[in-house]
Amino acid sequence: MKAPQTLFTCTNCGAQYQKWAGRCSECGKWGTVAEESTSPALAARPSTKPGKTASFVDLAAAGEIPRNKTGLAVWDEILSGGVVAGSVTLLGGEPGIGKSTLLAQLALSVASQGKTVLYVTGEESPSQVSLRLKRLSSTLPSTLLFLDETSADIVASTIAETKPALTIVDSIQSMRAPEVPGEPGNMSQVRASAGWIAETAKKSGASVILVGQVNKEGDLAGPRLLEHLVDTVIMMEGDRSHAFRLMRVTKHRFGTTDASALLSMNESGLSVVEDPSSALLADRPKQAPGTVVTCLLEGQRPILVELQALVTPAGYGTPLRRASGIDLNRLSLLLAVMGRRAGVGFGDQDVFANAVGGIEAKETAVDLAICLAAASAKLDKPLPDDLAVWGEIGLTGEIRPVARMDMRLKEAKRLGFTRFITPAECKHLKEAIALYSK
Ligand code: TYD
Ligand code: MG
């Protein structure tokens, strides 16, 4: 018989190695690769008794997936009709984006239907949570239960005992699995805690929402670590200094992953923005150089957004490139294409580009808008206010088609745009720039 092999795992990202290494070649961190221990906690779990067999499922008799409406419109809508009993959802987002706020609203909504909600807070003190809840609602339903706890096994047994309709764990990184080695928040701890809580939830039919803090690189506690453990992943993004937040479903075992919603953060928490395009264009300057409107596709939803650019003569050294809501590498590439293929160079210019409203405009369909905003800024010539543009730019300066141009066009027309530069009628960046630069 072959001896069992020792496995080394990076506690930061989960990469596995046959041999120990000082530096993880996946995530680049030093001193994070450790021998993977067979966790006594996992080994101690109840196993199926010998002789006991599983029974087969009659698929023909399997009914509809029962969904429970939470009463919080955005949550029900984005999850194709409500929370599925026994399901585990991960809500990810950077700190301060509004995850706890949204979940406090959700907890209040479900508890006010008379259902038991268990809110586990490992990150904030009960007084912080209570302050937030009082800000959101004048009364606290008696079915809203609190647990100030970081031990995953205590949380799991409380779920099994109390059988709440909904359990919220804020956050999974603050939970620890006592019998698993390592600091709370590290990979084995997060995996074990999430696994435990998810398993208990499945057994007791309780729905669980886990909050996942996202680090600067956008990873949820190590790549894909939690994603495959849960049924649904919802990501919240946006810029903390702006009111808008975008919520999108990136994985959903019980429905579509095309759903997205724009939310707005105000004094009474997060609310749904009914018409995202007009909200995002509300404060648009008129006849200003360096701005143009483009159309994003969030799931199956077209959203108009304004892109801005500022171009100024550079000082000494390498010219600056700064981007917010736009991919910086993409911006550099597009500026290079403009210089070489469209005759508008930025070699001695600092370029700042921005997607208005704190929105992430990172699909390649916004390429053309970035180029036209930069060209308009450099030439100091405003583009028409009723112009909307989209298209991907190739390395020769060609304008390439993007997905769902029909939907983007319809949305732009709905908002009153009458002029368009799109891959349907314009084939090269040079042509597009020439249209309005005379
Ligand atoms: P929070 O939900 O704690 O973010 P996360 O859990 O993702 O870290 O809070 C986000 C911000 O929202 C915080 O700075 C305070 C603000 N806020 C409001 O603007 N209005 C509100 O009604 C509440 C509850 C919070
Ligand atoms: Mg929080």
Side-chain angles (χ1 to χ4, degrees):
M1 218 176 87
K2 251 173 88 179
Q5 243 178 356
T6 322
L7 204 61
F8 295 87
T9 308
C10 170
T11 53
N12 181 56
C13 73
Q16 294 188 322
Y17 300 91
Q18 302 281 336
K19 281 193 284 190
W20 184 83
R23 178 173 177 267
C24 172
S25 57
E26 287 293 318
C27 70
K29 283 234 161 49
W30 288 91
T32 52
V33 177
E35 192 173 333
E36 173 111 65
S37 52
T38 333
S39 146
L42 297 181
R45 282 206 224 162
S47 62
T48 313
K49 288 190 191 76
K52 197 173 168 189
T53 57
S55 46
F56 298 106
V57 176
D58 179 6
L59 284 184
E64 284 256 311
I65 299 168
R67 296 170 199 273
N68 300 316
K69 282 225 179 307
T70 63
L72 192 68
V74 58
W75 200 268
D76 290 339
E77 203 170 292
I78 209 160
L79 289 186
S80 328
V83 177
V84 173
S87 70
V88 183
T89 303
L90 179 68
L91 177 65
E94 282 181 23
I97 204 83
K99 301 179 295 299
S100 302
T101 305
L102 186 68
L103 293 179
Q105 288 175 270
L106 187 73
L108 285 167
S109 178
V110 174
S112 67
Q113 300 172 9
K115 293 178 185 157
T116 309
V117 177
L118 179 65
Y119 198 115
V120 185
T121 157
E123 223 158 67
E124 295 172 308
S125 69
S127 48
Q128 276 173 299
V129 180
S130 140
L131 204 67
R132 181 185 289 117
L133 285 165
K134 283 176 188 149
R135 188 170 167 182
L136 296 170
S137 163
S138 49
T139 52
L140 294 188
S142 58
T143 48
L144 185 46
L145 309 177
F146 275 93
L147 206 56
D148 179 11
E149 185 56 67
T150 56
S151 167
D153 54 350
I154 296 183
V155 172
S157 40
T158 312
I159 295 174
E161 179 86 20
T162 331
K163 296 196 173 50
L166 177 68
T167 301
I168 293 166
V169 180
D170 192 354
S171 67
I172 192 63
Q173 278 89 356
S174 67
M175 293 294 128
R176 63 198 160 76
E179 285 158 81
V180 175
E183 292 290 306
N186 87 5
M187 189 206 53
S188 339
Q189 289 271 339
V190 169
R191 189 170 52 186
S193 304
W196 240 342
I197 294 170
E199 200 179 301
T200 317
K202 287 235 147 50
K203 275 189 198 140
S204 67
S207 307
V208 172
I209 299 170
L210 306 173
V211 171
Q213 298 290 10
V214 167
N215 59 21
K216 274 274 168 293
E217 291 83 48
D219 288 337
L220 278 158
R224 313 277 160 231
L225 176 66
L226 289 171
E227 269 118 321
H228 69 258
L229 264 176
V230 301
D231 302 306
T232 305
V233 179
I234 302 177
M235 296 301 287
M236 246 173 121
E237 61 184 38
D239 187 332
R240 264 185 294 170
S241 52
H242 287 87
F244 295 121
R245 305 282 183 268
L246 198 74
M247 215 169 121
R248 67 157 76 92
V249 181
T250 58
K251 169 181 177 177
H252 195 25
R253 283 194 180 136
F254 312 110
T256 170
T257 49
D258 288 334
S260 68
L262 190 73
L263 307 178
S264 165
M265 175 72 91
N266 41 49
E267 296 69 46
S268 49
L270 287 154
S271 56
V272 183
V273 177
E274 294 299 344
D275 187 347
S277 295
S278 49
L280 285 169
L281 298 182
D283 304 316
R284 218 190 144 207
K286 292 253 174 288
Q287 278 304 290
T291 145
V292 71
V293 166
T294 185
C295 188
L296 303 174
L297 207 58
E298 285 304 340
Q300 280 304 305
R301 187 171 198 175
I303 299 181
L304 297 183
V305 59
E306 178 193 352
L307 295 194
Q308 295 186 341
L310 178 69
V311 176
T312 60
Y316 295 110
T318 320
L320 290 176
R321 269 85 179 100
R322 294 280 181 274
S324 117
I326 292 167
D327 186 74
L328 187 59
N329 291 331
R330 196 78 196 161
L331 174 66
S332 305
L333 180 137
L334 293 171
L335 295 176
V337 172
M338 286 222 276
R340 289 287 288 153
R341 308 287 178 222
V344 188
F346 295 85
D348 52 358
Q349 309 281 317
D350 290 342
V351 180
F352 306 87
N354 171 31
V356 176
I359 293 300
E360 303 243 321
K362 292 195 171 157
E363 54 175 311
T364 51
V366 307
D367 285 358
L368 182 58
I370 297 174
C371 292
L372 291 183
S376 156
K378 176 162 186 211
L379 306 169
D380 209 25
K381 231 181 132 39
L383 292 162
D385 290 329
D386 61 350
L387 172 73
V389 312
W390 47 87
E392 180 183 327
I393 304 293
L395 291 183
T396 70
E398 82 275 22
I399 303 176
R400 299 174 155 273
V402 294
R404 301 314 307 266
M405 300 214 277
D406 51 334
M407 276 171 88
R408 299 184 207 244
L409 187 64
K410 199 169 157 212
E411 179 71 353
K413 283 186 174 163
R414 182 180 76 80
L415 270 284
F417 288 82
T418 56
R419 293 184 233 206
F420 309 96
I421 308 179
T422 76
E425 65 273 351
C426 190
K427 301 296 176 200
H428 199 275
L429 188 53
K430 205 167 183 171
E431 228 180 288
I433 292 173
L435 279 174
Y436 295 105
S437 61
K438 302 238 165 45

